[in-house]
Amino acid sequence: MRKYLFSLFFLLLPALCFGLTVDTPTVGELIPAGSVYTSIQWTPAVGSTKFNIYASYDNGLTWSTPLNTTGKVPGTTFDWTIPLMTKNKTKCKIKVIGYNDAGTKLEAGYSSAFTIDVLNVTYPNVLTDVLDAGHIQNVTWGTATLSTVTNAKLLYTVDGGLTWLPIAAIAGNPGVYAWTVPQFGSDQNANLMVVLMNGTAKVASDISGTFVIEASLKGNANASGSFSMPYMDYDYYTLPGIAGTHIFDVTMNGAGLFDHTTYASSLNPPPSSAANVPYTVYPDGQIVAGNARGIISSDDSMILLAELGKGKLLGSGLAIKTASGLSNAVLDGTYFIGQIGMNLAGGSWGSRFTATFYGDGNANLHCDDMTGGCAFTDLAITYTVDALTGRVSDSLGQQGMVTADGKVFTLVDFNAADNMISRLVGMKKSSGGLSDATAAGKFIAATFGVSDTHGPWTDIFQLKLNGKGGGSAT
C-alpha cells in the first residue's frame, strides 16, 4: 500500500508542479492602452496543444470573451491589441486555458496582476509635492492612450473630491500647464484631475495622489521691484473739478520703503517726487503705501491702490511690474475692457468694450454698452508697447502699462477737448470652459469711488464665492 501511494505521488507531481504557467505580462508591468502587446507568453503542460486567452480588468472577478477571435491558438504566444480605456486599470490579469487535440479542456493558468496605462498625473502627485499658493507651478501628466485627444480639462479639489473646481480648459494634450495656484488662509491637502477629451467625448481621466497647497501669506518682500503705475486723481470740491492723470515710476525695495517719480502727466504739473515712503503688505494681501491702501495680486505682479485726500479728492492707480523685451506682439487676441470716466463739470460715465489686438500695432475697439460713454460702435486704433518698460500708448492719446504675459493692461487719459479724464482696464479673454464654478474660493477685493453726498471712499472686502453664483462679502 505504501509503495502504491509513493508511485501515485510521482504520477501526480507533473500536474501539480508543472501545470500551465502564464509568463507574460509580468507582475506590475505597465502596458499602454491602445498598443499592441508582443506578446502574451505561456508554458503549457504535456498534452495541451491549443489555447484560448482571456483578459480580466478587475482582478479576475469577470473575464472577457476569448481574445483570439479566429479560433484556438496552436502556439504558446499571442499578440494582443490592448483596448482603449477611460482610466488606468491596475489589476489586470490574463488567463490561458489549454485543450488537447480532441478539444478537451485540460488546464488553466493565470498571469500576475499588471496595469493597462492610460493617463497619469505626474506632478503634483505625492504629499512631498508642496505648491506655494499664489505662485505659478507647472502641472504635468503623461498619456499612454493612443486615442485621439483634442482638448483637456484640469480641475482640483481641497475637500477629498466632494467638490471639483476648474483650473483650465486647454486645446490639445500638451502634457504640461502653468497653474497659478489659488490662495488659501491655511495649508490644504489637494488632488488634481486631468480629463482628456475627443471633442465632447471623454477619452481618459486620472486623479493625482494627495499633495499640499502651502498657504502663501504675504509680506513686504512680495512688493519688490520696479512698477509703472498709471494714476488718475480727481477733486470736485469745486466745479469745474481739478483732475490729473499721471504715470508714476515706482520702486519698492521689498523691505517696507518705496520711491516714486512722475513719468508723464496729461494735466496739472506732476505731483512732487517722494523717497523712502513706508509701505506694509499684510498677510491677506492688503497693502498700505503712504496715504494709499489697496491690494497686491496673488503673483505679485500688480498692485491696486486708492488714496483719499482732503475734501473730495480721490486718487487711484494700478501698478504693473515693469518688464523689458516686450513688443507690440504681447497684446494679441481678444480682450474685455471696462472703462470709467468723469467730466470735470461734474458728470461721470462707464463703458464696456471688446478689443481685438492683432499683435502688430493695430487693434479694433467694439463698444458693448452704448448706454455708457461710447461714441462709436467700432473704432480702429494703433498702439505701441515700449520694449524697455512695457508701457503702452495708443492713437487715442491714452497711456498705460501691460503685464509681461500680456493678459492685463491699463490706460489713463485726459481729453482736454471733452474736459474728461478716464481710465480703462483690459483683461485677455480666457479659453472656453469658464462658468460660475471658475469664481470659487477666497478672494480679496478693493473698491473705490466718489459720492456727491459722502465724498471719496475706499473699501477692502474679503469675498467667499461658492462657485454656484453666490457667496459673501465682509
Side-chain angles (χ1 to χ4, degrees):
M1 182 67 177
R2 190 174 296 172
K3 181 179 179 181
Y4 170 77
L5 291 175
F6 184 75
S7 299
L8 179 62
F9 172 77
F10 277 96
L11 288 173
L12 292 174
L13 187 60
L16 292 173
C17 299
F18 303 103
L20 191 152
T21 58
V22 178
D23 305 312
T24 60
T26 57
V27 60
E29 188 171 350
L30 298 178
I31 304 176
S35 66
V36 176
Y37 184 74
T38 310
S39 59
I40 298 172
Q41 299 181 11
W42 59 92
T43 302
V46 176
S48 294
T49 57
K50 299 178 182 179
F51 305 89
N52 278 339
I53 303 96
Y54 304 83
S56 172
Y57 310 109
D58 54 13
N59 204 34
L61 293 177
T62 60
W63 293 92
S64 68
T65 56
L67 303 179
N68 46 300
T69 57
T70 59
K72 293 183 177 65
V73 176
T76 58
T77 64
F78 179 76
D79 293 343
W80 177 29
T81 300
I82 312 299
L84 294 172
M85 296 183 174
T86 58
K87 62 180 180 180
N88 299 333
K89 298 289 186 178
T90 61
K91 296 181 179 180
C92 300
K93 290 186 175 182
I94 292 295
K95 176 173 66 175
V96 178
I97 297 178
Y99 302 83
N100 61 19
D101 288 337
T104 302
K105 176 181 175 180
L106 297 182
E107 55 185 349
Y110 301 85
S111 74
S112 300
F114 60 92
T115 294
I116 294 179
D117 199 28
V118 178
L119 170 67
N120 294 287
V121 178
T122 52
Y123 184 86
N125 196 40
V126 294
L127 277 172
T128 53
D129 292 336
V130 179
L131 279 59
D132 291 330
H135 290 73
I136 297 174
Q137 301 279 353
N138 279 341
V139 172
T140 58
W141 63 93
T143 309
T145 180
L146 300 182
S147 182
T148 301
V149 176
T150 60
N151 53 292
K153 297 179 182 179
L154 279 70
L155 308 96
Y156 76 99
T157 181
V158 292
D159 58 11
L162 295 177
T163 306
W164 287 96
L165 302 174
I167 297 174
I170 54 180
N173 181 28
V176 63
Y177 178 77
W179 180 28
T180 301
V181 183
Q183 290 276 14
F184 293 95
S186 60
D187 293 354
Q188 302 287 321
N189 286 343
N191 301 89
L192 184 79
M193 180 191 298
V194 176
V195 182
L196 302 182
M197 307 290 292
N198 182 4
T200 59
K202 180 179 176 181
V203 172
S205 66
D206 186 43
I207 298 174
S208 74
T210 301
F211 58 93
V212 175
I213 295 178
E214 189 171 64
S216 180
L217 301 180
K218 298 289 187 179
N220 288 346
N222 292 94
S224 176
S226 298
F227 295 78
S228 279
M229 182 169 65
Y231 192 84
M232 181 174 72
D233 55 50
Y234 180 56
D235 186 340
Y236 69 113
Y237 187 78
T238 60
L239 296 178
I242 301 173
T245 55
H246 323 279
I247 297 182
F248 289 108
D249 285 330
V250 180
T251 302
M252 310 192 81
N253 69 358
L257 295 174
F258 76 94
D259 300 343
H260 67 83
T261 58
T262 299
Y263 162 73
S265 177
S266 300
L267 192 54
N268 303 321
S272 60
S273 301
N276 297 320
V277 178
Y279 73 86
T280 301
V281 179
Y282 293 90
D284 63 358
Q286 291 192 59
I287 180 171
V288 175
N291 296 324
R293 60 188 301 221
I295 56 176
I296 186 169
S297 64
S298 61
D299 64 358
D300 305 331
S301 67
M302 294 180 286
I303 299 174
L304 177 63
L305 292 172
E307 179 180 9
L308 295 179
K310 296 180 180 180
K312 295 183 178 180
L313 175 67
L314 174 69
S316 60
L318 178 60
I320 294 177
K321 187 165 284 189
T322 57
S324 61
L326 302 184
S327 67
N328 291 344
V330 73
L331 286 170
D332 187 14
T334 303
Y335 292 74
F336 295 120
I337 296 174
Q339 185 177 32
I340 59 171
M342 288 175 280
N343 186 292
L344 302 192
S348 61
W349 49 271
S351 297
R352 296 195 311 270
F353 298 91
T354 299
T356 303
F357 286 84
Y358 302 107
D360 61 356
N362 293 283
N364 183 78
L365 300 180
H366 175 77
C367 184
D368 298 323
D369 181 10
M370 293 298 293
T371 63
C374 292
F376 57 86
T377 302
D378 286 279
L379 180 67
I381 65 170
T382 59
Y383 67 92
T384 301
V385 177
D386 185 83
L388 295 178
T389 62
R391 295 192 185 107
V392 182
S393 58
D394 66 25
S395 55
L396 299 178
Q398 302 175 121
Q399 300 181 68
M401 188 68 184
V402 63
T403 57
D405 59 10
K407 292 183 177 180
V408 178
F409 68 90
T410 182
L411 301 171
V412 293
D413 183 34
F414 171 70
N415 189 315
D418 294 330
N419 205 30
M420 286 185 176
I421 60 172
S422 66
R423 174 214 303 287
L424 62 81
V425 176
M427 295 187 178
K428 193 168 187 177
K429 180 181 178 182
S430 299
S431 57
L434 302 187
S435 67
D436 288 347
T438 307
K442 297 179 181 179
F443 299 83
I444 184 170
T447 65
F448 51 88
V450 291
S451 165
D452 288 330
T453 303
H454 302 291
W457 51 268
T458 63
D459 283 312
I460 306 293
F461 287 97
Q462 295 280 357
L463 300 179
K464 295 181 180 179
L465 303 181
N466 62 11
K468 301 177 181 178
S472 62
T474 55

